[in-house]
Amino acid sequence: MRKHRSAGTEAASAGRSREAGRREEPNPTVAFSSNEIRLSPRQCGIAAAVLLLAFYGLPRLWEHWEPFQPDSDYRMPFELGNDYWLFSRYCRSAASRDQTIVLGDSVVWGHYVGPAETLSHYLNELAGRPQFAN
């Protein structure tokens, strides 16, 4: 036994089957590409200038924002032994005061002693002025 469909249900089902079978045509004006960013030569130049400013300008500005004035018995803290930024600033500071930089292992650095018991402190006492930096 076959059921009769109404005219409205048949039209609706026919419309759905046509929409399901229909494909959207691709837009021919949009070129196929990935999600990359394409820069013009001018934009590349601007990006390069911003990166150069960030890599070379910000460290110079940071030295002005973060004061660093070590005293004569200053030594780098053990925890900051791998901080080459601080080491470079300290070396420049010591060299600008015509100090001799004493480099070495934990014995020269004075790992288990206070600042007034380091090799550079005793060398400064012998020299009579702050000539050696640790």
Side-chain angles (χ1 to χ4, degrees):
M1 177 176 228
R2 188 173 172 188
K3 293 185 179 180
H4 290 292
R5 292 184 183 172
S6 69
T9 3
E10 286 181 18
S13 65
R16 275 182 290 211
S17 65
R18 271 184 277 157
E19 288 175 8
R22 185 179 355 153
R23 291 179 154 208
E24 287 190 27
E25 294 294 322
N27 187 350
T29 59
V30 177
F32 176 75
S33 67
S34 65
N35 292 332
E36 67 185 39
I37 297 174
R38 296 180 183 183
L39 300 177
S40 69
R42 180 175 179 259
Q43 292 170 329
C44 286
I46 292 171
V50 168
L51 287 175
L52 284 174
L53 176 68
F55 286 124
Y56 294 107
L58 288 178
R60 304 283 186 255
L61 288 174
W62 190 263
E63 288 183 6
H64 297 290
W65 292 332
E66 183 182 50
F68 180 68
Q69 297 157 348
D71 60 354
S72 61
D73 279 337
Y74 176 80
R75 63 181 170 169
M76 288 186 54
F78 179 75
E79 296 82 17
L80 298 176
N82 290 331
D83 187 354
Y84 297 110
W85 167 261
L86 179 63
F87 180 73
S88 126
R89 288 185 74 184
Y90 180 58
C91 288
R92 282 194 309 262
S93 172
S96 71
R97 294 185 308 234
D98 293 328
Q99 288 185 313
T100 304
I101 298 173
V102 181
L103 293 176
D105 59 3
S106 61
V107 174
V108 172
W109 183 76
H111 186 66
Y112 294 109
V113 298
E117 300 171 328
T118 61
L119 175 63
S120 60
H121 175 79
Y122 289 121
L123 290 173
N124 286 333
E125 279 186 353
L126 289 172
R129 64 185 182 92
Q131 178 181 351
F132 298 93
N134 191 1

